């Protein structure tokens, strides 16, 4: 059933819910309201049928990157790094992260989300040598974010948007797998640095536990390490040429 699929619930569960044979959690009518694009009145009616409180979720204040992390990003000239916030939004990135992944500063703030980029940005999709593994991991990490902030309207909207746009996201989200954003290894096919195998790690900011510094490194002496050095030199030269052109 299409509605059940969009809401990331099974057809059997949806049928039993409609027949009143089971009691739904608040997350189910919320997912259905998102999938059906209901207005506030329709949403309240749906929650009433489910016997749940339809109080609108409280919007959280917009995150801003911590100044200490911003300074650290600027100092990391040979290491790609980004700061990731709630719902895996990209709050900031250094110049080498822009050269490695994408120029996050050129992306509208409301769309500057790592999971959205993995599923919707052609350049980022092409960058991942094993895209399915990367995408599955992103969904599992986003599922953990949803568990931490079940009433986050922006996260709910993101899940609804990607569920409608991508059947794989919808399938993997429904699987309920959870992963922590911590450490891992990623294989990349980069248009400038060619094939790279990078280790990634995360450091949590003590001033805001919802902000994490994500860095990509390579073992010294490996082709991937040399590739990162080459990419850093290329990015610096490109920035210098761009600055010279602007000044002229």
């Amino acid at each position: 059933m299409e509605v059940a699929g969009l809401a990331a619930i099974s057809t059997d569960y949806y049928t039993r819910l409609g027949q009143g044979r089971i009691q739904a959690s608040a997350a189910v009518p919320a997912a259905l309201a998102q999938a059906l694009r209901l207005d506030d009145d329709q949403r309240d009616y749906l929650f009433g049928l489910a016997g749940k409180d339809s109080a609108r979720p409280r919007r959280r204040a917009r995150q801003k990157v911590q100044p200490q992390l911003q300074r650290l990003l600027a100092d990391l000239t040979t290491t790609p790094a980004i700061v990731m916030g709630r719902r895996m939004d990209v709050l900031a990135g250094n110049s080498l992260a822009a050269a490695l992944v994408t120029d996050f500063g050129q992306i509208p703030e409301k769309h500057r989300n790592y999971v959205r980029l993995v599923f919707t940005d052609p350049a980022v999709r092409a960058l991942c040598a094993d895209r399915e593994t990367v995408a599955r991991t992103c969904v599992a990490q986003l599922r953990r974010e949803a568990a931490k902030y079940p009433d986050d309207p922006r996260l709910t909207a993101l899940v609804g948007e990607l569920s409608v746009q991508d059947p794989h996201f919808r399938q993997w989200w429904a699987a309920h797998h959870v992963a922590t954003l911590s450490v891992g290894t990623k294989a990349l096919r980069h248009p400038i640095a060619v094939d790279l195998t990078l280790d990634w790690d995360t450091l949590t900011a003590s001033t805001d536990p919802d902000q994490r510094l994500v860095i990509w490194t390579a073992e010294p002496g490996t082709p991937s390490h040399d590739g990162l050095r080459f990419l850093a030199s290329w990015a610096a030269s490109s920035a210098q040429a761009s600055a010279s052109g602007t000044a002229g």
Side-chain angles (χ1 to χ4, degrees):
M1 186 176 294
E2 184 179 1
V3 173
L6 292 176
I9 60 177
S10 70
T11 301
D12 178 64
Y13 185 92
Y14 180 81
T15 301
R16 286 184 291 148
L17 177 64
Q19 294 171 345
R21 293 159 53 194
I22 58 174
Q23 186 72 16
S25 68
V28 173
L32 289 172
Q34 175 69 29
L36 295 170
R37 304 180 185 276
L38 302 184
D39 60 27
D40 288 350
D41 290 339
Q42 293 168 328
R43 184 180 186 277
D44 290 343
Y45 177 72
L46 177 62
F47 270 75
L49 290 177
K52 300 297 179 183
D53 182 7
S54 64
R56 304 296 293 174
R58 177 177 61 87
R59 290 188 176 273
R60 296 179 179 274
R62 184 174 65 88
Q63 275 186 302
K64 294 183 179 180
V65 63
Q66 295 291 302
Q68 303 93 320
L69 293 180
Q70 188 70 70
R71 291 194 295 268
L72 180 57
L73 282 176
D75 287 340
L76 293 173
T77 57
T78 60
T79 302
I82 62 174
V83 175
M84 200 173 289
R86 291 190 299 268
R87 73 190 72 87
M88 299 177 71
D89 287 345
V90 178
L91 305 181
N94 64 4
S95 58
L96 192 48
L100 177 67
V101 184
T102 189
D103 188 349
F104 299 102
Q106 296 301 312
I107 301 172
E109 185 176 345
K110 64 180 181 179
H111 293 153
R112 206 177 299 160
N113 177 274
Y114 196 82
V115 183
R116 177 186 275 111
L117 293 173
V118 167
F119 277 91
T120 66
D121 187 286
V124 176
R125 289 165 63 97
L127 182 66
C128 303
D130 186 358
R131 183 189 168 274
E132 180 173 334
T133 297
V134 172
R136 282 179 176 269
T137 301
C138 281
V139 173
Q141 291 166 344
L142 188 65
R143 170 65 74 175
R144 186 175 186 275
E145 289 290 297
K148 288 171 61 179
Y149 304 107
D151 296 326
D152 185 335
R154 288 186 59 186
L155 196 152
T156 300
L158 174 65
V159 171
E161 172 193 338
L162 295 180
S163 294
V164 171
Q165 291 184 5
D166 194 293
H168 291 114
F169 179 92
R170 187 162 64 245
Q171 173 189 349
W172 298 333
W173 183 262
H176 293 272
H177 294 153
V178 177
T180 301
L181 184 66
S182 54
V183 297
T185 299
K186 185 174 296 185
L188 304 176
R189 295 194 182 107
H190 196 273
I192 302 298
V194 196
D195 293 338
L196 298 171
T197 300
L198 304 179
D199 298 318
W200 58 270
D201 203 346
T202 57
L203 304 173
T204 301
S206 59
T207 50
D208 182 355
D210 281 336
Q211 293 194 29
R212 291 149 295 179
L213 179 72
V214 183
I215 59 174
W216 290 273
T217 61
E219 183 72 24
T222 63
S224 294
H225 185 264
D226 294 340
L228 272 187
R229 295 284 178 170
F230 174 77
L231 185 61
S233 176
W234 175 86
S237 298
S238 298
Q240 184 176 8
S242 177
S244 298
T246 302

